[in-house]
Amino acid sequence: MNTISYCAFTFLLFLLAHFGESANINVAAKADANVAPALLKAWKEACAATTPSTVVIPKGTYPMTQVLLAGPCKAPIELKIEATLKAPPNPKDMEGKKEWLTIQYIDHFTLSGGGTLDGQGNVHVYGVKDTSFKSNKLPNNLSLNFLTNSVIRDITTLNSKLFHVNVLGGKNLTFDHFTIKAPGDSPNTDGIHIAKIIGVTVKDSVIGTGDDCISMGDGLENLKVTGVTCGPGHGISVGSLGKTPGEQPVKGIFVSDSKFIGTDNGVRIKTWPNSHPGIITDIHFENIDMKDVKNPIVIDQEYCPNNECSKQKPSLVKISKVSYKNIKGTSATETAVFLTCSSGVPCDGVEIGDINLTFKGGAAKTVCKNVKPKLTGKQVPPVVCK
Ligand SMILES: *[C@@H]1O[C@H](CO)[C@@H](O)[C@H](O)[C@H]1NC(C)=O
Ligand SMILES: *[C@@H]1O[C@H](CO)[C@@H](O)[C@H](O)[C@H]1NC(C)=O
Ligand SMILES: *[C@@H]1O[C@H](CO)[C@@H](O)[C@H](O)[C@H]1NC(C)=O
């Protein structure tokens, strides 16, 4: 095989340019051919570079098998995905326990490029009853583990088989102009699940999926969500917490200037009954628009999907310092405000400022239990907790 035909039939990795101090490494891929080997090769080179480098997957549509991009790298590194990358459509062609694309242990990492990660969950997963597709064996779309000082920008994840994005560990991570798309009825397709990390920002992003748009697990501190549109989906959720022993507190959560459209919940805090102890504190929701949201404001300490738990004993997750300010729009059910706190550890320091939530143009209502909110501003519907 001469060089030319070899190039034509395999991936070719070449250094496009060395300009200034940073290297640009192009992953040249051929249509219909798995891009993973070329990407791994480019990554290895870029990660070893002592000056900042960029790995580019250019425009086009390519299949990609499972990929793990791991640091530490010697200098800042950017992965620019301009392409649409397609996961193997059948979960059987993925090793069950692994994610599709995993990026981990990198400082100063950037993911960008305007491209799409297409999990193809719509092809073989959604709506399929085959038990070998049980959700705990399905891959997430993108796993970001122990990244520090990193940015995810201008990327779309489409039809993940399970969670679209799982963030675990690290410090200082920003999602900016991030898009998540999956049907409203796709099972367990959480948008971004974030846990055990300090300092996360999600801004100016659009999330439509079949489960929580953003869900927060234990050990998350200092999350800012702003300019996010959520829907379809189950809203933005703190928790669920309390199911496993030894969970770290969730604290310092600020959700502002965001919109919920046709979602099951708006802003929700959920913990399991009969739970292990835990802490949720310093949680703030401000300037939120709701449109046809089933339950716009929710604290649910009796969260027990499919009745898989006992409600006999209360949740032991203590919720405190929660505020709601300027939350307005329409509720799709009569109960616009649902605050069910634990009888074991009632909520403390809940503040409700201006809210205006209507149901069918008329009065909505409030349900509350084990909470005495401090009222500031004007509440529609009135919040009366005995
Ligand atoms: C969607 O993205 C996640 C990222 O973690 C990946 O694990 C998952 O495999 C993708 N969806 C698929 C391939 O079903
Ligand atoms: C967080 O990460 C970004 C991106 O690398 C960086 O510009 C910023 O300085 C970091 N912030 C802190 C507080 O370290
Ligand atoms: C609440 O919203 C409705 C519908 O937008 C509006 O007509 C009403 O004046 C608002 N009420 C208050 C107290 O802001």
Side-chain angles (χ1 to χ4, degrees):
M1 202 185 260
N2 66 30
T3 311
I4 306 279
S5 64
Y6 178 81
C7 291
F9 288 101
T10 62
F11 306 108
L12 173 66
L13 183 161
F14 53 93
L15 259 61
L16 259 196
H18 284 271
F19 48 88
E21 294 208 309
S22 82
N24 217 350
I25 303 171
N26 220 40
V27 179
K30 199 171 173 305
D32 302 328
N34 179 12
V35 83
L39 173 58
L40 283 168
K41 200 167 166 220
W43 180 263
K44 208 171 157 198
E45 183 177 336
C47 187
T50 53
T51 54
S53 55
T54 302
V55 172
V56 182
I57 306 178
K59 282 209 165 84
T61 298
Y62 310 107
M64 186 174 86
T65 52
Q66 283 168 314
V67 170
L68 167 65
L69 303 177
C73 297
K74 294 218 163 72
I77 186 163
E78 177 163 0
L79 172 60
K80 223 173 189 171
I81 301 178
E82 296 170 353
T84 293
L85 300 176
K86 290 186 170 275
N90 193 325
K92 285 177 178 158
D93 296 329
M94 310 255 278
E95 290 172 61
K97 289 208 177 84
K98 291 189 195 162
E99 300 89 11
W100 180 32
L101 175 58
T102 306
I103 301 172
Q104 62 188 28
Y105 296 107
I106 308 164
D107 185 39
H108 286 97
F109 169 73
T110 303
L111 176 62
S112 65
T116 296
L117 300 168
D118 182 354
Q120 301 213 82
N122 54 327
V123 181
H124 273 286
V125 179
Y126 305 160
V128 172
K129 300 250 155 46
D130 183 339
T131 51
S132 67
F133 292 171
K134 277 227 206 83
S135 70
N136 60 8
K137 289 218 178 119
L138 290 170
N140 300 316
N141 234 323
L142 176 63
S143 280
L144 305 171
N145 304 327
F146 303 96
L147 299 181
T148 52
N149 304 310
S150 294
V151 179
I152 313 298
R153 183 198 305 133
D154 293 325
I155 287 287
T156 295
T157 125
L158 181 68
N159 292 338
S160 176
K161 292 186 178 63
L162 193 63
F163 289 10
H164 285 270
V165 183
N166 193 44
V167 176
L168 176 71
K171 196 168 183 177
N172 184 19
L173 176 65
T174 297
F175 291 84
D176 183 7
H177 288 89
F178 189 66
T179 306
I180 293 179
K181 281 188 214 163
D185 59 357
S186 54
N188 295 318
T189 52
D190 283 37
I192 310 178
H193 180 73
I194 310 173
K196 296 187 170 65
I197 176 168
I198 301 175
V200 179
T201 300
V202 181
K203 64 176 182 182
D204 303 330
S205 294
V206 177
I207 304 176
T209 192
D211 207 300
D212 292 332
C213 288
I214 298 174
S215 62
M216 305 168 209
D218 85 296
L220 172 61
E221 284 180 37
N222 199 359
L223 167 71
K224 197 180 278 180
V225 174
T226 185
V228 167
T229 300
C230 166
H234 295 182
I236 291 183
S237 292
V238 178
S240 54
L241 252 60
K243 201 175 188 187
T244 44
E247 288 175 340
Q248 296 300 303
V250 173
K251 60 183 179 188
I253 310 295
F254 298 83
V255 179
S256 68
D257 303 290
S258 291
K259 272 194 185 94
F260 294 78
I261 302 171
T263 51
D264 279 9
N265 303 282
V267 292
R268 177 166 58 154
I269 299 174
K270 54 182 174 176
T271 75
W272 294 80
N274 190 19
S275 80
H276 297 280
I279 292 173
I280 294 175
T281 189
D282 198 9
I283 314 287
H284 307 280
F285 304 104
E286 190 164 349
N287 302 336
I288 312 270
D289 284 343
M290 305 279 179
K291 185 165 187 242
D292 296 329
V293 173
K294 282 189 191 142
N295 302 108
I297 294 178
V298 177
I299 294 179
D300 183 2
Q301 296 213 263
E302 295 174 359
Y303 176 74
C304 182
N306 310 319
N307 277 321
E308 56 187 276
C309 56
S310 153
K311 291 194 184 177
Q312 305 302 321
K313 290 187 187 159
S315 172
L316 294 180
V317 177
K318 176 79 183 178
I319 297 175
S320 64
K321 292 190 203 155
V322 182
S323 70
Y324 303 90
K325 293 181 180 166
N326 191 27
I327 316 267
K328 56 180 197 286
T330 53
S331 178
T333 70
E334 199 181 10
T335 307
V337 180
F338 180 90
L339 305 173
T340 302
C341 291
S342 165
S343 61
V345 285
C347 297
D348 270 343
V350 174
E351 178 184 347
I352 304 186
D354 288 320
I355 61 169
N356 184 3
L357 296 162
T358 55
F359 171 59
K360 289 186 174 164
K365 68 172 191 186
T366 298
V367 167
C368 46
K369 229 164 128 177
N370 305 311
V371 59
K372 293 212 164 53
K374 174 180 163 200
L375 303 178
T376 56
K378 182 164 173 42
Q379 292 82 32
V380 180
V383 176
V384 183
C385 302
K386 301 225 172 78

